[in-house]
Coordinates of all heavy atoms in Angstrom, one line a residue:
E142 N 52.8 31.7 -2.4 CA 53.9 31.9 -1.5 C 55.1 31.3 -2.1 O 55.1 30.4 -2.9 CB 53.6 31.2 -0.2 CG 52.4 31.8 0.5 CD 52.1 31.0 1.8 OE1 52.6 29.9 2.1 OE2 51.3 31.5 2.6
E143 N 56.3 31.8 -1.7 CA 57.6 31.2 -2.1 C 58.5 31.3 -0.8 O 58.7 32.3 -0.2 CB 58.2 32.0 -3.2 CG 59.5 31.4 -3.6 CD 59.7 31.3 -5.1 OE1 58.7 31.4 -5.9 OE2 60.8 31.1 -5.5
V144 N 59.1 30.1 -0.5 CA 60.0 30.0 0.6 C 61.4 30.3 0.0 O 61.8 29.6 -0.9 CB 59.9 28.6 1.3 CG1 60.9 28.5 2.4 CG2 58.5 28.4 1.8
V145 N 62.1 31.2 0.6 CA 63.4 31.6 0.2 C 64.3 31.8 1.4 O 63.8 31.9 2.6 CB 63.4 32.9 -0.6 CG1 62.6 32.8 -1.9 CG2 63.0 34.1 0.3
K146 N 65.6 31.8 1.2 CA 66.6 32.2 2.2 C 67.0 33.6 1.9 O 67.2 33.9 0.7 CB 67.8 31.3 2.2 CG 67.5 29.9 2.8 CD 68.8 29.2 3.0 CE 68.6 27.7 3.4 NZ 67.9 27.5 4.6
L147 N 67.0 34.4 2.9 CA 67.5 35.8 2.7 C 68.8 35.9 3.3 O 69.1 35.6 4.5 CB 66.5 36.8 3.4 CG 65.1 36.8 2.8 CD1 64.2 37.7 3.7 CD2 65.0 37.2 1.4
N148 N 69.8 36.4 2.5 CA 71.1 36.7 3.0 C 71.1 38.2 3.2 O 71.3 39.0 2.2 CB 72.1 36.3 1.9 CG 73.6 36.5 2.4 OD1 73.8 36.8 3.6 ND2 74.5 36.3 1.5
I149 N 71.0 38.6 4.5 CA 70.9 40.0 4.8 C 72.2 40.5 5.5 O 72.6 39.9 6.5 CB 69.7 40.3 5.7 CG1 68.4 39.7 5.1 CG2 69.6 41.8 6.0 CD1 67.2 39.8 6.0
K150 N 72.8 41.5 5.0 CA 74.1 42.0 5.6 C 73.8 43.4 6.2 O 73.1 44.2 5.7 CB 75.1 42.2 4.5 CG 75.6 40.9 3.9 CD 76.8 41.1 3.1 CE 77.5 39.8 2.6 NZ 76.8 38.7 2.3
G151 N 74.3 43.6 7.4 CA 74.2 44.8 8.1 C 73.1 44.7 9.2 O 72.4 43.7 9.3
K152 N 72.9 45.8 9.9 CA 71.9 45.9 10.9 C 70.5 46.3 10.2 O 70.5 47.3 9.4 CB 72.3 47.0 11.9 CG 71.4 47.0 13.1 CD 71.9 48.0 14.2 CE 71.0 48.1 15.3 NZ 71.4 49.0 16.4
Y153 N 69.5 45.6 10.5 CA 68.2 45.9 9.8 C 67.0 45.5 10.7 O 67.2 44.9 11.8 CB 68.1 45.0 8.6 CG 68.1 43.5 8.9 CD1 66.9 42.9 9.1 CD2 69.3 42.8 9.0 CE1 66.9 41.5 9.4 CE2 69.3 41.5 9.4 CZ 68.1 40.8 9.5 OH 68.1 39.5 9.9
K154 N 65.8 46.0 10.3 CA 64.6 45.6 10.9 C 63.6 45.2 9.7 O 63.7 45.7 8.6 CB 63.9 46.7 11.7 CG 64.7 47.0 12.9 CD 64.0 48.0 13.8 CE 64.8 48.2 15.1 NZ 64.2 49.2 16.0
I155 N 62.8 44.2 10.0 CA 61.8 43.8 9.0 C 60.4 44.2 9.5 O 60.1 44.0 10.7 CB 61.8 42.3 8.7 CG1 63.2 41.9 8.2 CG2 60.7 41.8 7.8 CD1 63.4 40.4 8.0
Y156 N 59.6 44.8 8.6 CA 58.2 45.2 8.9 C 57.3 44.5 7.9 O 57.6 44.4 6.8 CB 58.1 46.7 8.8 CG 59.0 47.4 9.7 CD1 60.3 47.9 9.3 CD2 58.7 47.7 11.1 CE1 61.1 48.5 10.1 CE2 59.5 48.4 11.9 CZ 60.8 48.8 11.5 OH 61.6 49.4 12.3
N157 N 56.1 44.3 8.4 CA 55.0 43.7 7.6 C 54.2 44.9 6.9 O 54.5 46.0 7.1 CB 54.1 42.7 8.3 CG 53.2 43.4 9.4 OD1 53.1 44.6 9.5 ND2 52.6 42.5 10.2
L158 N 53.2 44.5 6.2 CA 52.3 45.4 5.5 C 51.8 46.6 6.4 O 51.7 47.7 5.9 CB 51.2 44.6 4.9 CG 50.1 45.3 4.1 CD1 50.7 45.7 2.7 CD2 49.0 44.3 3.8
N159 N 51.5 46.2 7.7 CA 51.0 47.2 8.6 C 52.0 47.9 9.4 O 51.6 48.7 10.4 CB 49.9 46.6 9.5 CG 48.8 46.1 8.7 OD1 48.3 46.7 7.7 ND2 48.2 44.9 9.0
G160 N 53.3 47.7 9.2 CA 54.3 48.4 9.9 C 54.7 47.7 11.2 O 55.5 48.2 12.0
D161 N 54.2 46.4 11.4 CA 54.6 45.7 12.6 C 55.9 45.0 12.4 O 56.2 44.4 11.3 CB 53.6 44.6 12.9 CG 52.2 45.2 13.2 OD1 52.1 46.2 13.8 OD2 51.2 44.6 12.7
E162 N 56.8 45.1 13.4 CA 58.2 44.5 13.2 C 58.1 43.0 13.2 O 57.3 42.4 14.0 CB 59.1 45.0 14.4 CG 60.5 44.7 14.1 CD 61.5 45.3 15.1 OE1 61.1 46.3 15.7 OE2 62.6 44.8 15.2
Q163 N 58.8 42.4 12.3 CA 58.8 40.9 12.2 C 60.2 40.4 12.6 O 61.2 41.1 12.4 CB 58.5 40.5 10.7 CG 57.2 41.1 10.2 CD 56.0 40.5 10.9 OE1 55.7 39.4 10.7 NE2 55.3 41.4 11.6
S164 N 60.2 39.1 13.0 CA 61.5 38.5 13.3 C 62.0 37.7 12.2 O 61.2 37.2 11.3 CB 61.4 37.7 14.6 OG 60.5 36.6 14.4
Y165 N 63.3 37.5 12.1 CA 63.9 36.7 11.0 C 65.2 36.1 11.6 O 66.0 36.8 12.2 CB 64.2 37.5 9.8 CG 65.0 36.7 8.7 CD1 64.4 35.7 8.1 CD2 66.3 37.0 8.4 CE1 65.1 35.0 7.1 CE2 67.0 36.3 7.5 CZ 66.4 35.3 6.8 OH 67.1 34.6 5.8
N166 N 65.3 34.8 11.6 CA 66.4 34.1 12.2 C 67.4 33.4 11.3 O 67.9 32.4 11.6 CB 65.9 33.1 13.3 CG 65.0 32.1 12.7 OD1 64.9 32.0 11.5 ND2 64.4 31.3 13.5
S167 N 67.5 33.9 10.1 CA 68.4 33.4 9.0 C 68.0 32.0 8.5 O 68.8 31.3 7.9 CB 69.9 33.3 9.5 OG 70.3 34.6 9.9
C168 N 66.8 31.6 8.8 CA 66.3 30.3 8.2 C 65.4 30.7 7.0 O 65.5 31.8 6.5 CB 65.5 29.5 9.3 SG 66.5 29.0 10.7
D169 N 64.6 29.7 6.6 CA 63.7 30.0 5.5 C 62.7 31.1 5.8 O 62.3 31.2 7.0 CB 63.0 28.7 5.1 CG 63.9 27.6 4.6 OD1 65.0 28.0 4.1 OD2 63.5 26.5 4.6
Y170 N 62.4 31.9 4.8 CA 61.4 32.9 5.0 C 60.4 32.8 3.9 O 60.7 32.6 2.8 CB 62.1 34.3 4.9 CG 61.3 35.4 5.5 CD1 61.5 35.8 6.8 CD2 60.3 36.0 4.8 CE1 60.7 36.8 7.4 CE2 59.5 37.0 5.3 CZ 59.7 37.4 6.6 OH 59.0 38.4 7.2
T171 N 59.1 32.8 4.3 CA 58.0 32.7 3.3 C 57.6 34.1 2.8 O 57.2 34.9 3.6 CB 56.8 32.0 4.0 OG1 57.2 30.7 4.4 CG2 55.7 31.8 2.9
I172 N 57.8 34.3 1.5 CA 57.4 35.6 0.9 C 56.0 35.3 0.3 O 55.8 34.3 -0.3 CB 58.4 36.0 -0.2 CG1 59.8 36.0 0.3 CG2 58.0 37.3 -0.8 CD1 60.1 37.1 1.3
T173 N 55.1 36.3 0.6 CA 53.7 36.1 0.1 C 53.3 37.4 -0.7 O 54.1 38.3 -0.8 CB 52.8 36.0 1.4 OG1 52.7 37.3 2.0 CG2 53.2 34.9 2.3
P174 N 52.1 37.4 -1.2 CA 51.7 38.6 -1.9 C 51.6 39.9 -1.0 O 51.7 41.0 -1.4 CB 50.2 38.3 -2.4 CG 50.3 36.8 -2.6 CD 51.1 36.3 -1.4
S175 N 51.6 39.6 0.3 CA 51.6 40.7 1.3 C 53.0 41.2 1.5 O 53.9 40.4 2.0 CB 51.0 40.3 2.6 OG 50.9 41.3 3.5
I176 N 53.3 42.4 1.1 CA 54.7 42.9 1.1 C 55.3 42.9 2.5 O 54.7 43.1 3.5 CB 54.6 44.4 0.5 CG1 55.9 44.8 -0.1 CG2 54.2 45.4 1.6 CD1 55.7 46.1 -1.0

Side-chain angles (χ1 to χ4, degrees):
E142 297 179 347
E143 179 136 342
V144 178
V145 298
K146 287 191 188 299
L147 298 176
N148 184 7
I149 306 174
K150 293 194 172 32
K152 189 175 178 180
Y153 64 91
K154 291 186 178 183
I155 298 178
Y156 300 94
N157 69 10
L158 183 69
N159 295 323
D161 301 320
E162 193 170 342
Q163 306 292 291
S164 62
Y165 175 67
N166 60 8
S167 299
C168 294
D169 295 339
Y170 198 95
T171 303
I172 307 295
T173 70
S175 185
I176 207 165

